[in-house]
Amino acid sequence: MGDNTKLLDEDFSNFLNFANKYEKFIIAGHKEPDGDCITSSLVLAELLQTMGKKTLVVSAGPFKRTEVKKYEQMFAKNIDSFATNSKCGLFLVDCSLLGRIGEVGISENQFDTFIIDHHKTAGNSTQKSIIKPAAPAAAYLIQQLFEHSGAELDKQTANLLFFGICTDTGFFRFLEENDSCVFEAVARLVSKGASPKKTYDEMTGNKPFVSRKVLGMLLDRTELFFNGRLALTYETYEETERFGKDSRDSDALYQMLSSSAGVEAIVSIKQEKPEMCTVGLRSKDAVDVSSVAAKYGGGGHKNAAGFSAETSIDALKQDLLKEFKKIFA
Ligand SMILES: [Mn+2]
């Protein structure tokens, strides 16, 4: 990390060129938004408003994670009549593909598009994108755009950006010795009124009791493969229906399993519908799970990725074990 997470002069000018092209902007992040996606969208909207632009933040939802529910009301579910002509630009934040944003009424090539993303699978920056795979959060990129603009960063905005950066860094647990830039950035946010204590409580608290039970169930059925280097667990459709998606606490599950000695990668299969599963992949250090996700049309980061597939839990399990055999062989 380090300097390659910082925006360059050309990034700022590419952003300004695009922002100056239109009077109205739609801002969209990925479906199933997380704190980074939500705060990036909201703060980018605020920045564009300080430039006199009209904005619409959209999200296909669902707002599943406990800590993001209160933001749902701030997002439109689709673009409706906001943009009926071509004088509108589109910002994609915390994702790089239109397919990742879900159903919000935007079709391919409908809008001139600018991407702000930090996913490894997103490629490189262009004149119409700021892509920094080494950046820990999209909110960290948005913070740089905001600060560069000279607009006043108030307490509420500082808290939003802080929440976004905390989400994707696992409250700084994923950062390493060369990530001082990120701590410098969040120090500026705290100096503007962002509260680490309140943010931590909001991110980790208020989980439904049943989510603790589900966590126990998923831990209980976890199997180890490849001499304990891969941990795999799953949730059936029947359980998804019975407990509800609100009862999931994937972050806690990954944290528990990755702290188990010898585990280098984690697979969590969730059967969302009888014929459809989503898969979360996590890894430590050298193991690259984004390459596994990419094989199934998914995406993400080296150590955190995911995808969905129209198949059964058993078929997926067998297939994924073949993929991981290539890694752990
Ligand atoms: Mn992110």
Side-chain angles (χ1 to χ4, degrees):
M1 278 195 204
D3 278 342
N4 53 355
T5 69
K6 286 203 175 152
L7 300 199
L8 309 172
D9 286 344
E10 65 208 55
D11 294 318
F12 292 118
S13 61
N14 287 338
F15 169 75
L16 286 174
N17 281 343
F18 189 78
N20 286 329
K21 258 166 100 173
Y22 302 99
E23 293 307 310
K24 296 166 84 171
F25 290 94
I26 295 163
I27 300 166
H30 55 80
K31 59 188 170 188
E32 277 188 41
D34 61 5
D36 186 34
C37 173
I38 284 165
T39 59
S40 296
S41 299
L42 293 174
V43 178
L44 177 60
E46 190 187 328
L47 172 58
L48 290 167
Q49 284 162 25
T50 68
M51 299 166 72
K53 310 294 179 181
K54 287 196 170 64
T55 61
L56 180 77
V57 288
V58 288
S59 176
F63 288 66
K64 290 199 301 196
R65 298 159 62 121
T66 311
E67 74 276 17
V68 304
K69 284 193 193 304
K70 68 173 181 182
Y71 297 98
E72 180 165 9
Q73 40 147 356
M74 299 176 192
F75 286 78
K77 294 212 177 322
N78 59 66
I79 64 169
D80 279 334
S81 57
F82 180 77
T84 49
N85 57 36
S86 59
K87 292 177 187 153
C88 177
L90 169 66
F91 277 98
L92 289 185
V93 295
D94 202 27
C95 70
S96 58
L97 295 170
L98 209 50
R100 287 275 292 130
I101 70 175
E103 272 311 310
V104 292
I106 298 174
S107 50
E108 200 75 48
N109 300 322
Q110 187 180 358
F111 297 106
D112 196 7
T113 304
F114 194 97
I115 294 164
I116 301 174
D117 194 17
H118 69 121
H119 287 87
K120 197 185 169 202
T121 41
N124 297 311
S125 291
T126 65
Q127 285 188 330
K128 281 200 207 164
S129 66
I130 295 173
I131 296 168
K132 305 277 176 192
Y140 171 70
L141 303 175
I142 302 290
Q143 180 183 349
Q144 293 179 62
L145 288 174
F146 203 104
E147 290 175 333
H148 186 262
S149 77
E152 177 61 24
L153 213 165
D154 62 20
K155 182 174 177 170
Q156 192 190 343
T157 309
N159 268 299
L160 281 173
L161 290 168
F162 189 79
F163 171 37
I165 294 171
C166 286
T167 297
D168 274 25
T169 60
F171 219 89
F172 311 115
R173 284 175 297 125
F174 308 145
L175 297 176
E176 300 197 55
E177 64 269 28
N178 51 354
D179 291 327
S180 59
C181 298
V182 182
F183 287 94
E184 285 159 19
V186 295
R188 297 195 295 275
L189 297 177
V190 173
S191 76
K192 297 283 183 184
S195 165
K197 181 178 187 296
K198 277 186 198 145
T199 304
Y200 186 81
D201 289 346
E202 272 181 35
M203 282 173 62
T204 57
N206 297 315
K207 311 280 189 210
F209 178 66
V210 66
S211 71
R212 309 299 92 184
K213 297 279 198 183
V214 171
L215 198 51
M217 180 186 80
L218 298 182
L219 287 171
D220 189 48
R221 69 165 60 128
T222 301
E223 287 179 277
L224 295 178
F225 298 91
F226 309 112
N227 291 322
R229 297 169 79 187
L230 177 74
L232 183 147
T233 188
Y234 61 88
E235 184 176 329
T236 66
Y237 178 63
E238 190 269 319
E239 289 158 352
T240 300
E241 289 287 284
R242 178 153 43 115
F243 300 117
K245 291 181 183 177
D246 286 355
S247 68
R248 286 183 187 161
D249 187 356
S250 300
D251 291 340
L253 177 70
Y254 295 134
Q255 217 174 314
M256 298 293 283
L257 290 175
S258 71
S259 57
S260 169
V263 169
E264 293 174 48
I266 299 156
V267 174
S268 167
I269 302 174
K270 286 152 283 192
Q271 192 179 20
E272 309 284 356
K273 296 173 190 165
E275 284 307 311
M276 196 274 277
C277 296
T278 58
V279 178
L281 303 168
R282 293 294 182 276
S283 65
K284 292 206 281 198
D285 306 324
V287 177
D288 182 359
V289 287
S290 72
S291 64
V292 177
K295 287 195 177 128
Y296 296 87
H301 309 278
K302 182 181 163 197
N303 296 134
F307 66 92
S308 59
E310 308 221 334
T311 178
S312 68
I313 292 176
D314 276 342
L316 249 183
K317 181 177 156 185
Q318 296 314 320
D319 212 45
L320 278 164
L321 288 176
K322 278 184 204 153
E323 286 303 322
F324 277 97
K325 194 175 179 182
K326 295 176 195 166
I327 294 172
F328 291 127

